[in-house]
Amino acid sequence: MSGFNLHRLFNPKSVAVVGASEKRGSIGFSIMRNLLKNGFRGDIFPVNPKYKSIMGLSSVASIEDIGSDVDTAVIAISIQFVPQIVESCGRAGLSGVVIISSSGRETGEKGRAIEAKILEKARKYNLRIIGPNCLGIVNTSKAFNASVAHLFPLPGKTAFLSQSADICTSVLDFADCEKIGFSHFVNLGSMIDVDVADMIDYWGSLNSVKTIALYIEKITNIRNFMSAARSVSRVKPIIVLKPGRSKASVAAFYAGAPGGEDAVFDAAFRRAGILRVTELEELLDCSEFLAKLNRPSGPELKIITNVVDPASIVTYDLPERTARGFKNLYQYGRNIETLLEIPVRTDTKLIINRSKAENIIKKAIADGAQSLTEIQIKNLLWSYGIPVNVPDVVEYELMIGVKTDPNFGPIIFLGMGGVLTEAFRNTSMGLPPLNRLLARQMIEDTQISRMLKGSRNFELVSIPLLGELLIRTSRLVTDFPEITALDINLIMVKNGSIMAVDGSVLLSVPRVPSPMHLVISTYPWQYEKKEYTVNGHEFFIRPIRPSDADLLIDHFYSLSPRSVYMRFFSPVKELSKTTLIKLTQIDYDREIALVALMGKGQDKKIVGVCRIILEADKTLGEFALAISDEWQGKGIGSSLLKLCLKASQSKGVKQVVGVVLAENTQMLMLGKKLGFSVKRHPDSGEYDLIIDFKDMHIDYK
């Protein structure tokens, strides 16, 4: 649904309160009181046929009777009547509604059926829904308090979200005592529409929000959540308190022990760049720290006991709170730095035999097998470049394993194997797909990592080779959702070399095709393609990779000042590290970015880049295209844009647009050739190129 409607929902110029009342103690009374007493500057329309006026404002019988534009409605009536109210809101052109009403899914099948009707009506009109069964929402910058909360929070730079109304009440009380402010304060309730991922995306786009603090009990769409969190955590901190954290280890999850599944959330949050805390006080301390200051850049901490002006200084009543907050945030900063590290470019390509592996797995599934035989396992591992052999001398044993979590999909493990398993009760965990940096992090997260670098009792292990084995395992379970569990049981090390001795593989018929069984988008290899220019020069199109940073810099400098201006609409002089990371470390669920390459090895260069950035609802995309000056007009741009359009269409995108300067005649001609409509901006020298896929006539071959 529309991100614009979400912005209107939180920044309304006018609000309707359905179920408004003057009866003290009622929900309708609390909402009206909160809207009026906190100084909301927009129009307020009470809707209740029982009243002529409420709190000095004229009351109407229905939404249709208001007679002027309304942005947001707050609904506080019996839930059985809510679907028809939502229908009225949709017809009246509202952006969204906040449903305070309870007795939905929590009451059983009847309540779930009512919620389904509400969502059906909302989707019909592109309405956004907060709730039902929620406390409401607050935007302090607009003095907008559409909630039944007992306190109005102080203004601040932290956006707070809780899935629990009771936690909201506790946070408001604590924040009031500690003088902690919030930009937004939200309770999502049953989350039939707007969920945690939507709010992360929305707050990530606001300059007024510096920190995002979340109290999460459940995650409804984990892939969307991971996508939103990975995108936003690169630009602003996300701090999460999720109840149920225990001392259960990663090994406990791998063994299926109770409580071990919480370790998966730790791994997922770390992969998404999220800081996880264990207490409510800790959540707010970290949020306040990062809202006022940048994250710590080093391990040193100064504690000031007396200050004159605490406005830009974080103050705590106990030094223990200060130290705890600083420790959390320093570790968080280290994690983010790892995520933002630019990989070293390497032209080494993993050689795999996917068709051989596919034949092995398909045959086993067709035969009704739930596991592979010993010879099948060896052939499968060999097909993905994982050597299988039995050495004469064993120094010690390692283990790589995979287990499928019902929510997060395949999880990869690394630890000691054999007799040393008990001595080193430590296993690291990672989510596929893995790259070299993530594989290295998995290795460094284990207590055995120092031992692997060589010691008095152990031979030196090739860390890059071990990392490559993790990557190959990741690629195997990424390509084949049929694999539900995998153990490369005893990876033995001799004279620094690593090989698999045996293993086990469990199979089942997958519910979804690859790569939709993952919660993190993987490299879309299907968009790799060899092409030729109009005068016969070969070039290769593929999705952009994080290690393309250096090549992208060279491509930027191959553009003339005019070409740079055509692409960025400003005279950009260089690409900063932040920009490079943004352009190369992309989420393939949110963006399609293809490069055209020429040359081999160290002579390889990027001669063109095309990307389509998707809106939050993934039905609309905006394209951008840049071709090196010496290769313009040779057909490279056409090939890139056509393949980008094909990729976006396969993702369900309905329309792609692009803004083009009037003097960029080549791009305008290309757009017309590919079926784009051209519309000039009346007040500027720019054109909109727009294509609807139902009208597109492109030969993809």
Side-chain angles (χ1 to χ4, degrees):
M1 290 192 183
S2 172
F4 171 72
N5 276 353
L6 197 59
H7 184 75
R8 279 182 65 202
L9 175 64
F10 278 89
N11 298 270
K13 295 178 181 178
S14 55
V15 181
V17 181
V18 182
S21 175
E22 286 193 335
K23 182 181 178 181
R24 289 186 176 273
S26 69
I27 294 175
F29 175 86
S30 297
I31 294 167
M32 287 294 297
R33 179 196 60 194
N34 284 344
L35 282 169
L36 288 168
K37 79 173 185 178
N38 293 303
F40 175 63
R41 292 179 290 276
D43 295 324
I44 302 172
F45 300 104
V47 179
N48 191 327
K50 297 179 181 179
Y51 293 88
K52 295 295 184 182
S53 67
I54 297 175
M55 299 185 187
L57 299 174
S58 296
S59 178
V60 296
S62 66
I63 290 288
E64 291 89 345
D65 294 332
I66 291 175
S68 60
D69 292 339
V70 181
D71 293 313
T72 301
V74 186
I75 301 178
I77 61 173
S78 177
I79 198 167
Q80 68 192 73
F81 302 112
V82 171
Q84 66 191 65
I85 299 298
V86 171
E87 174 83 29
S88 297
C89 291
R91 286 200 303 264
L94 276 72
S95 63
V97 298
V98 180
I99 304 175
I100 309 295
S101 317
S102 58
S103 300
R105 69 184 64 179
E106 66 273 17
T107 64
E109 191 59 40
K110 183 178 179 181
R112 282 192 288 271
I114 293 173
E115 288 186 356
K117 287 182 180 178
I118 293 171
L119 188 57
E120 178 186 352
K121 303 291 187 184
R123 286 177 172 165
K124 179 180 177 182
Y125 295 102
N126 204 21
L127 277 173
R128 301 314 308 261
I129 303 290
I130 302 282
N133 192 25
C134 72
L135 192 74
I137 64 175
V138 175
N139 179 354
T140 58
S141 68
K142 302 294 183 181
F144 177 52
N145 186 358
S147 79
V148 294
H150 65 298
L151 292 172
F152 185 68
L154 295 170
K157 299 178 181 179
T158 296
F160 177 81
L161 178 151
S162 172
Q163 292 176 334
S164 164
D166 291 338
I167 290 296
C168 282
T169 301
S170 299
V171 168
L172 284 172
D173 288 334
F174 181 85
D176 187 57
C177 292
E178 297 285 326
K179 305 303 178 188
I180 296 173
F182 300 97
S183 62
H184 301 76
F185 199 90
V186 174
N187 174 228
L188 289 179
S190 298
M191 297 192 304
I192 65 170
D193 172 32
V194 176
D195 62 10
V196 179
D198 290 317
M199 294 310 306
I200 291 174
D201 267 327
Y202 173 59
W203 285 332
S205 69
L206 301 181
N207 292 329
S208 59
V209 175
K210 301 300 181 186
T211 306
I212 298 171
L214 309 172
Y215 178 88
I216 294 178
E217 294 175 339
K218 62 179 180 179
I219 303 174
T220 51
N221 190 322
I222 292 179
R223 185 164 175 137
N224 281 355
F225 171 83
M226 292 294 290
S227 178
R230 290 174 64 228
S231 174
V232 174
S233 67
R234 296 168 185 265
V235 294
K236 61 186 66 175
I238 303 174
I239 307 164
V240 167
L241 171 60
K242 184 184 182 301
R245 193 174 195 178
S246 67
K247 294 183 179 180
S249 66
V250 176
F253 171 77
Y254 189 64
E261 66 276 359
D262 194 64
V264 182
F265 281 97
D266 278 339
F269 290 153
R270 186 170 60 251
R271 177 69 178 271
I274 292 173
L275 172 64
R276 186 179 186 183
V277 296
T278 58
E279 299 175 13
L280 201 56
E281 180 186 73
E282 192 177 2
L283 176 69
L284 297 178
D285 283 351
C286 291
S287 302
E288 186 185 22
F289 191 116
L290 285 172
K292 288 187 175 181
L293 305 170
N294 294 324
R295 66 173 181 257
S297 57
E300 295 182 356
L301 170 64
K302 292 181 181 179
I303 298 178
I304 303 174
T305 57
N306 292 290
V307 294
V308 177
D309 179 14
S312 61
I313 298 176
V314 182
T315 59
Y316 298 113
D317 54 354
L318 296 172
E320 290 83 1
R321 282 177 66 187
T322 308
R324 179 188 62 189
F326 183 87
K327 178 183 176 183
N328 277 337
L329 295 167
Y330 175 63
Q331 185 57 52
Y332 163 75
R334 292 282 301 273
N335 291 342
I336 290 295
E337 286 174 7
T338 300
L339 288 177
L340 297 182
E341 188 174 342
I342 296 176
V344 176
R345 177 190 162 199
T346 173
D347 291 319
T348 303
K349 188 174 182 179
L350 294 181
I351 305 300
I352 62 171
N353 190 336
R354 192 177 188 280
S355 60
K356 180 178 179 180
E358 186 175 24
N359 289 335
I360 294 170
I361 291 173
K362 279 188 173 181
K363 184 179 186 306
I365 292 286
D367 292 342
Q370 296 181 331
S371 62
L372 296 183
T373 65
E374 181 179 350
I375 188 65
Q376 286 175 325
I377 292 168
K378 288 185 177 181
N379 288 335
L380 179 69
L381 296 179
W382 272 109
S383 69
Y384 268 67
I386 301 172
V388 184
N389 208 339
V390 181
D392 297 328
V393 180
V394 177
E395 293 290 340
Y396 53 93
E397 303 166 6
L398 297 171
M399 176 273 295
I400 291 177
V402 177
K403 183 178 179 181
T404 299
D405 178 79
N407 296 313
F408 287 92
I411 311 294
I412 302 174
F413 300 85
L414 171 67
M416 290 301 298
V419 295
L420 293 179
T421 302
E422 291 299 316
F424 291 90
R425 296 182 63 85
N426 175 248
T427 308
S428 67
M429 175 188 290
L431 277 65
L434 297 179
N435 57 25
R436 287 177 173 79
L437 292 178
L438 292 169
R440 186 191 71 194
Q441 187 178 47
M442 273 193 70
I443 297 169
E444 293 175 348
D445 281 347
T446 63
Q447 295 176 4
I448 60 175
S449 59
R450 292 184 181 179
M451 181 194 75
L452 297 176
K453 296 175 183 177
S455 66
R456 182 173 57 185
N457 299 318
F458 296 97
E459 288 277 348
L460 175 71
V461 175
S462 171
I463 300 297
L465 181 56
L466 180 57
E468 184 177 308
L469 287 175
L470 285 169
I471 293 170
R472 290 180 181 276
T473 303
S474 166
R475 178 69 185 273
L476 178 60
V477 297
T478 293
D479 289 347
F480 297 103
E482 294 88 347
I483 298 175
T484 58
L486 181 150
D487 280 323
I488 306 177
N489 273 338
L490 302 172
I491 295 181
M492 299 189 176
V493 182
K494 175 187 176 183
N495 299 326
S497 62
I498 307 172
M499 60 190 68
V501 176
D502 59 18
S504 63
V505 177
L506 300 183
L507 303 173
S508 69
V509 177
R511 294 178 298 171
V512 293
S514 174
M516 298 311 297
H517 65 304
L518 306 179
V519 296
I520 298 174
S521 59
T522 187
Y523 177 84
W525 54 267
Q526 66 268 30
Y527 301 124
E528 293 184 346
K529 188 178 183 182
K530 185 187 295 184
E531 288 277 13
Y532 294 90
T533 65
V534 292
N535 50 1
H537 288 89
E538 180 183 305
F539 62 96
F540 185 67
I541 296 177
R542 65 162 171 77
I544 201 163
R545 298 170 180 165
S547 57
D548 286 334
D550 288 341
L551 291 176
L552 196 64
I553 292 174
D554 292 339
H555 169 67
F556 176 79
Y557 287 120
S558 75
L559 302 174
S560 66
R562 180 180 182 276
S563 294
V564 169
Y565 191 81
M566 295 293 182
R567 166 61 179 86
F568 295 99
F569 288 35
S570 62
V572 179
K573 299 297 183 184
E574 62 181 4
L575 299 180
S576 66
K577 180 180 178 181
T578 301
T579 301
L580 276 174
I581 291 169
K582 181 180 179 180
L583 294 177
T584 57
Q585 298 187 21
I586 70 167
D587 184 337
Y588 297 111
D589 277 347
R590 292 170 166 256
E591 184 175 348
I592 300 151
L594 303 179
V595 295
L597 297 157
M598 283 188 169
K600 303 290 184 182
Q602 295 303 312
D603 295 327
K604 184 182 296 182
K605 62 182 179 180
I606 291 176
V607 295
V609 183
C610 184
R611 60 184 74 235
I612 296 178
I613 300 173
L614 308 183
E615 294 289 325
D617 63 3
K618 297 183 176 62
T619 61
L620 175 67
E622 182 175 355
F623 80 86
L625 179 66
I627 307 296
S628 298
D629 281 56
E630 64 175 313
W631 292 102
Q632 292 177 7
K634 304 292 194 302
I636 295 175
S638 176
S639 296
L640 280 170
L641 184 52
K642 284 196 291 185
L643 193 53
C644 269
L645 290 171
K646 177 183 178 181
S648 61
Q649 188 176 29
S650 70
K651 289 178 176 290
V653 176
K654 296 178 181 178
Q655 186 182 79
V656 173
V657 303
V659 180
V660 179
L661 294 173
E663 55 266 40
N664 194 350
T665 54
Q666 282 185 308
M667 188 66 245
L668 291 171
M669 290 173 59
L670 175 60
K672 291 177 182 178
K673 177 183 175 183
L674 296 183
F676 284 82
S677 62
V678 180
K679 296 182 180 179
R680 184 177 182 119
H681 289 205
D683 300 324
S684 69
E686 298 174 358
Y687 287 87
D688 280 337
L689 294 184
I690 305 169
I691 192 164
D692 292 302
F693 283 114
K694 65 181 186 327
D695 302 326
M696 194 167 63
H697 48 84
I698 295 177
D699 180 11
Y700 289 138
K701 296 180 181 179

